[in-house]
Amino acid sequence: MKISFLIHNAYGIGGTIATTFNLAHALAERHEVEIVSVLRHRERPNFTLDPKVSLRPLVDLRQEKEHPLHLRPARVFPRAEYRYRQYSELTDQRIGECLATIDADVVIGTRPGLNVHLALQTPRHVGRIGQEHLTLDNHPPRLRNALRRAYRRLDVLTTVTEADAAAYRRKMRLPGVRVEALPNSVPDPVLPAADGTAKVVVAAGRLVPVKRYDLLIQAFAVVAAERPDWQLRIYGKGEEHDRLRQLIVDLRLWNNVFLMGAAAPMEAEWVKGSIGAAASNFEPFGMTIVEAMRCGLPVVSTDCPYGPGEIIEDGVDGRLVPVGDRDALGAALLDLVRDDDRRRRMGRAALENARRFAPGPVVEQAERLLAEAVTARQAGRPAAQERARAGRVLVSQGFAARDAAFGAASGALRIVRKGQR
């Protein structure tokens, strides 16, 4: 089977890129796999790409940033999508040409706007799988309206958690589309697991507001006050870097908290720690949580929607605390710092429990979904023959009507604001 992934920018850094590379590498053991990157801004990807996986960009921003068509707004990529301003008539054109001539058996989109492209422009005989790495509730009403129309042309829609899959089935009404949770996978570690003796807490991810590294630093101040020999190491880059550095200075934590920059792969850094930490307000999955657990670290995380609660078993392989609660986060970290035996025991449990996110079981499920999409296209029938219950239809119609009303209201507000300028 030939499989093509369509991704925003394979040359960047982030959870969607990491999990796409991981899945592509695993599938390449038995299939022909390529990654099509809409954008390119540097010579080589940040993440290591398996030689068996081909990579081709569509728009190289190093030469084409000022291309006349790239200065015009996109028409296919949905306006309400978060990345809309990075898309253009040029990306519309290149994506359309790519999909029209694609020789893959199945194409996998990796974000809502790209899922719309493949739903509308992929040839009829090619299987269409849309991946959602965010959550339905995180999408604005105008985007949900656009997705309702386009996603009906998909064969399969995958989410990263069971909770989000249930939300799509309940709220979106996508007859004939198989909606299934497909968790992100993390490769089997190659280094020995952490032994719980290092006096280091490790966190990783983009330095952006939603990740709440400010909260984590404030919470760690409690740890540093009692155990000044412990460190917090934060890996990643992003817009919050300077603000976080100033916070470290203000709290006089320069000997305890370190902004380490980006590291890829992270495995060598995880195993240097004894506890993983995540303080997000919102986490659709929690790739770094799984990475830490696969390296033998118990993880202290906020119990935000939706991922952490489906990954961490509270009190067994990590701790879950309320979102935004600095004191609870600090107390949970300090509990593990104080108790060596418990920390090591939970680290061993994390290593064992995280095996369900190994490539093997995830790839097996992915292959089944890919095969179903291809078979359905070849047979000219939907991947999932669904006869929805009347109650479910009414519920989904209610959500659709609500989103349409919000969308109309926000559109009217924009017109009023534009007229006031």
Side-chain angles (χ1 to χ4, degrees):
M1 189 185 328
K2 181 168 183 182
I3 303 161
S4 289
F5 288 87
L6 182 61
I7 194 169
H8 169 65
N9 187 342
Y11 298 82
I13 193 166
T16 298
I17 304 168
T19 191
T20 298
F21 276 40
N22 290 344
L23 184 56
H25 294 173
L27 289 170
E29 295 296 324
R30 292 190 290 274
H31 306 278
E32 183 180 352
V33 181
E34 72 166 350
I35 295 175
V36 178
S37 179
V38 177
L39 302 177
R40 178 183 189 175
H41 69 288
R42 66 199 307 266
E43 182 63 26
R44 297 182 183 278
N46 280 290
F47 295 110
T48 302
L49 187 66
D50 190 310
K52 293 190 289 293
V53 178
S54 62
L55 173 63
R56 60 174 170 130
L58 300 181
V59 175
D60 193 330
L61 296 175
R62 296 173 300 173
Q63 287 87 39
E64 299 182 293
K65 190 173 183 179
E66 301 301 321
H67 191 293
L69 291 181
H70 197 53
L71 301 177
R72 300 177 186 172
R75 299 189 180 191
V76 179
F77 196 91
R79 183 178 295 271
E81 223 266 37
Y82 170 70
R83 295 284 187 182
Y84 176 75
R85 292 184 181 277
Q86 294 176 259
Y87 285 75
S88 63
E89 279 195 22
L90 183 62
T91 59
D92 277 356
Q93 181 185 89
R94 298 278 173 85
I95 296 170
E97 291 171 351
C98 169
L99 292 174
T101 59
I102 204 153
D103 62 349
D105 297 296
V106 61
V107 182
I108 304 171
T110 56
R111 64 175 306 111
L114 298 181
N115 294 340
V116 169
H117 269 281
L118 72 91
L120 300 178
Q121 297 175 318
T122 303
R124 186 177 296 273
H125 65 279
V126 178
R128 308 167 182 181
I129 295 184
Q131 290 184 339
E132 280 283 358
H133 291 276
L134 291 176
T135 68
L136 179 61
D137 290 341
N138 186 248
H139 295 328
R142 289 179 64 232
L143 180 57
R144 291 197 292 262
N145 286 330
L147 300 185
R148 279 189 181 89
R149 294 188 293 269
Y151 277 14
R152 295 185 178 203
R153 302 188 184 193
L154 298 175
D155 298 304
V156 177
L157 177 67
T158 68
T159 64
V160 290
T161 62
E162 293 289 351
D164 200 37
Y168 270 91
R169 296 187 197 107
R170 186 174 72 255
K171 299 179 180 181
M172 290 294 278
R173 178 70 182 117
L174 302 172
V177 180
R178 179 179 292 280
V179 180
E180 191 165 320
L182 179 70
N184 295 334
S185 69
V186 172
D188 296 324
V190 297
L191 298 174
D195 61 9
T197 60
K199 297 178 179 181
V200 178
V201 177
V202 182
R206 291 176 299 120
L207 305 185
V208 293
V210 72
K211 299 295 186 179
R212 292 306 310 271
Y213 289 111
D214 58 332
L215 185 78
L216 178 58
I217 291 169
Q218 292 165 358
F220 191 77
V222 178
V223 177
E226 181 176 314
R227 301 293 177 96
D229 52 342
W230 274 74
Q231 295 181 359
L232 168 63
R233 299 177 185 174
I234 300 174
Y235 292 84
K237 58 184 180 181
E239 64 193 68
E240 289 276 277
H241 179 274
D242 292 347
R243 191 172 79 88
L244 296 174
R245 184 172 58 183
Q246 186 60 51
L247 179 61
I248 292 168
V249 172
D250 292 344
L251 296 176
R252 305 176 68 84
L253 292 172
W254 46 73
N255 290 326
N256 300 95
V257 179
F258 301 93
L259 301 180
M260 307 293 291
M266 266 293 296
E267 182 182 343
E269 310 310 321
W270 289 121
V271 298
K272 295 173 185 174
S274 290
I275 302 169
S280 299
N281 286 340
F282 167 74
E283 196 67 74
F285 181 66
M287 191 72 170
T288 60
I289 295 175
V290 178
E291 288 179 355
M293 292 173 67
R294 294 224 70 197
C295 290
L297 274 65
V299 178
V300 177
S301 173
T302 48
D303 191 12
C304 59
Y306 287 118
E310 291 192 15
I311 299 171
I312 297 169
E313 186 175 353
D314 188 30
V316 175
D317 50 25
R319 291 292 312 278
L320 295 169
V321 301
V323 174
D325 192 331
R326 179 195 60 196
D327 294 339
L329 183 60
L333 288 169
L334 195 53
D335 283 346
L336 290 183
V337 166
R338 288 169 174 162
D339 193 332
D340 294 346
D341 290 340
R342 186 184 187 199
R343 184 173 67 249
R344 292 168 188 160
R345 183 173 65 253
M346 292 177 72
R348 291 191 294 270
L351 188 64
E352 180 61 32
N353 294 347
R355 294 185 195 279
R356 69 190 190 276
F357 300 108
V362 175
V363 169
E364 183 179 338
Q365 182 186 2
E367 285 182 318
R368 174 177 56 79
L369 293 172
L370 293 169
E372 288 178 2
V374 171
T375 301
R377 282 287 153 184
Q378 292 174 344
R381 58 177 173 76
Q385 296 286 358
E386 176 189 317
R387 185 171 296 173
R389 295 173 182 161
R392 185 187 300 175
V393 173
L394 290 174
V395 168
S396 62
Q397 287 176 345
F399 280 106
R402 188 183 309 169
D403 286 344
F406 277 117
S410 62
L413 184 58
R414 284 195 306 277
I415 292 173
V416 170
R417 287 174 175 170
K418 188 174 180 180
Q420 291 175 341
R421 290 175 185 170

